[in-house]
Each structure stands twice: as C-alpha cells, then as structure tokens.
Amino acid sequence: MYKFLLTILLIFVLSNTFAQKYMDNILSKSCECVDEVSTDLPMQEFNLQLGLCMIEAAQPYKKQLMKDYDIDLENIDSNGQGEKLGRTIGVKMATTCPNTLMRLTNKMTAPETETTTNVEAVGTVSHIDRELFVVFTLKDSYDKEVKYYWLSAVESPINLDQNYPSLLGKDVSIIYETQELFDPNIEIYRDFNVIQKISLAIGD
C-alpha cells in the first residue's frame, strides 16, 4: 500500500513538473516573439501579431493545453478560444517576463493618435460669408464652388483678422483638413473643410 501511494505521488509530481515545463516553454517563446513586435504598429495589426506569437508558441503543446486548460488550438477562432489562450498566457507573463507585459500594457493604454491629411485648394474667392464663423467660397477653373471654414487660428502671411474682406475676387491658396462636425441646421454630423493656412496664389 505504501509503495502504491508513493508511485501515485511520484506520477503526480512528474505530471505537474512536465505541465510547468511546457508552459514555461510557451511563455518563453511568446515573450521573445512579442518583444520583436513594433509598438508603432496600428492597434489592430499589433493585436494580430501578439495573437500569432502566442499561437505559434503554443502549437507544439496543443494536446496538453486541451487537457489542462480546455484550450482548443484546432478551433482557435471559435468559442472564445483565442481570448482564453491570450488570458492564460497573459496572466503568467507577469512572473516570466514582466518587462514585456509592461510594454504591452503601455501600448494598450496609450491613446490612439489620429493622423490628418492636409489638402491644398486653389481658386478665386467668390463669396465671403460672415456669420458665427467666416466662410470662404472658392470657385475653381471649372466654375465649381466649395466652402472653406475659418474655425480656429490660421497660418497666413496676410493680416487675416483685418484684411480677409479684401480677399474677395482674388486667387488664393488654402491648405485645409476635413473634420466631421455637428451641423445644427440639419442636425447631423457632416464633413467641413477647415482652413489651416491661407495665402494669395502665386502670380496674384
């Protein structure tokens, strides 16, 4: 009876040792892979790369993971299996590679920076509306008219605060960005061409 209990205890110890060993291997390979992922990637691509690191590290141990953690790598995209793998590895990263976990945390909590693209428009100022904000209407060479909104400080070689009425009928260059703002007249959000810079067109 004593030998039987000793054998059972030995099997239990060896089983736990193996379980710890394979999980250590998964964590080690996951941490090494994650450290190579650039934090400059967009969040969606960053998360995808993290998932691929963990799946690749776990793949050789899929039978053990199924048995010990009920994680099915064969159906990683179904029934929250990917999230379960991520949670299991993520929790254990705190003791295995805390610096890697801190790096991930900083990335996850950092605000996403929105990139805006400035565009140039050149045309003749055909109208200047003075309501709550000053609005310049530009007519291009095809007689198409587009409105541009002066909503904030504008870079300009002209003393714009005093001289903007004199731009009527003149050819100007406007650097603008498109912003989605609420229009109270129609009670919906829509795109506005917001002026960033304005100057006389070359040759005017």
Side-chain angles (χ1 to χ4, degrees):
M1 182 66 177
Y2 175 76
K3 289 184 178 179
F4 176 74
L5 291 176
L6 186 60
T7 302
I8 294 296
L9 179 61
L10 183 60
I11 291 172
F12 177 77
V13 170
L14 290 175
S15 175
N16 281 350
T17 301
F18 176 74
Q20 182 62 39
K21 180 67 175 176
Y22 87 76
M23 183 52 74
D24 285 347
N25 289 340
I26 292 175
L27 289 168
S28 177
K29 290 186 180 299
S30 294
C31 292
E32 289 176 5
C33 181
V34 168
D35 282 337
E36 297 297 320
V37 179
S38 172
T39 54
D40 293 330
L41 291 173
M43 185 62 74
Q44 185 174 358
E45 187 176 348
F46 182 78
N47 288 336
L48 176 61
Q49 292 300 321
L50 296 189
L52 292 175
C53 282
M54 294 178 183
I55 292 170
E56 184 177 351
Q59 197 63 38
Y61 309 100
K62 58 185 178 182
K63 290 183 179 179
Q64 293 93 322
L65 286 169
M66 185 65 178
K67 177 175 177 290
D68 297 336
Y69 297 94
D70 195 30
I71 295 173
D72 185 5
L73 289 183
E74 296 291 342
N75 297 286
I76 196 66
D77 294 326
S78 304
N79 301 320
Q81 295 299 305
E83 290 83 354
K84 188 186 292 186
L85 176 66
R87 284 197 303 270
T88 301
I89 294 177
V91 168
K92 295 179 182 298
M93 274 184 170
T95 54
T96 304
C97 48
N99 290 337
T100 301
L101 183 61
M102 182 62 68
R103 182 168 168 267
L104 296 184
T105 302
N106 290 339
K107 170 66 176 178
M108 297 299 182
T109 56
E112 284 285 285
T113 55
E114 296 184 2
T115 57
T116 57
T117 302
N118 290 339
V119 184
E120 181 181 19
V122 177
T124 304
V125 179
S126 58
H127 299 286
I128 300 176
D129 297 318
R130 305 170 185 85
E131 296 179 0
L132 182 59
F133 299 101
V134 175
V135 182
F136 296 92
T137 300
L138 258 61
K139 181 184 290 188
D140 62 19
S141 58
Y142 299 98
D143 287 336
K144 178 183 177 182
E145 292 188 324
V146 179
K147 291 185 175 183
Y148 300 89
Y149 295 79
W150 180 7
L151 303 183
S152 59
V154 171
E155 181 183 348
S156 178
I158 309 163
N159 187 353
L160 204 58
D161 293 352
Q162 297 179 6
N163 297 328
Y164 76 87
S166 67
L167 295 178
L168 185 63
K170 293 189 176 179
D171 292 337
V172 300
S173 168
I174 291 179
I175 305 297
Y176 70 95
E177 68 179 27
T178 302
Q179 295 182 15
E180 187 178 46
L181 303 170
F182 184 75
D183 188 336
N185 293 321
I186 53 179
E187 297 186 338
I188 61 171
Y189 283 89
R190 68 179 182 88
D191 289 340
F192 287 80
N193 299 322
V194 179
I195 301 171
Q196 305 297 309
K197 180 178 180 180
I198 187 169
S199 59
L200 292 174
I202 297 174
D204 200 307

